[in-house]
Amino acid sequence: MLYVIFSQDVENSLPLRTQARPAHVERLQALKEQGRLIIAGPCPAIDAEDPGEAGFTGSMIVAEFDSLEDAQAWADADPYIEAGVYQSVIVKPYKKVLP
């Protein structure tokens, strides 16, 4: 089943994100290689594709997991959590309808 992972950053998270990004992206790449990643990306803090120093306010991931518990465990192990990037993380079942 698909699950959506919504993450909200702490204030001024850009330096923390920059440091932990390689490990964070490595985990997403593994999901992609397993054919389980649907979409992933950050939410810019300003209305721009590249927010520069404004940074990001959070992230969204939609991926396939065996259960809500597995999705939650995967989200809880994100390097951004250990680095202090995320203030909160919500994991919910997701039903893709379109396209």
Side-chain angles (χ1 to χ4, degrees):
M1 179 165 185
L2 295 179
Y3 295 88
V4 62
I5 302 169
F6 292 110
S7 305
Q8 183 69 37
D9 284 17
V10 297
E11 290 288 322
N12 303 312
S13 64
L14 189 57
L16 300 171
R17 273 181 169 269
T18 301
Q19 182 179 6
R21 187 173 190 278
H24 171 77
V25 172
E26 183 178 322
R27 294 177 80 238
L28 291 169
Q29 190 64 38
L31 280 181
K32 179 183 173 190
E33 290 169 5
Q34 295 164 11
R36 298 170 43 205
L37 182 64
I38 305 303
I39 192 168
C43 301
I46 59 174
D47 190 11
E49 184 117 355
D50 180 359
E53 292 299 314
F56 301 92
T57 60
S59 302
M60 186 202 68
I61 299 166
V62 177
E64 185 178 340
F65 293 93
D66 290 334
S67 67
L68 178 58
E69 293 78 18
D70 287 348
Q72 185 68 59
W74 188 90
D76 289 344
D78 194 307
Y80 279 176
I81 290 185
E82 185 176 328
V85 173
Y86 291 151
Q87 162 181 298
S88 63
V89 178
I90 298 171
V91 181
K92 294 183 176 188
Y94 179 78
K95 180 180 176 184
K96 182 179 176 186
V97 175
L98 294 170

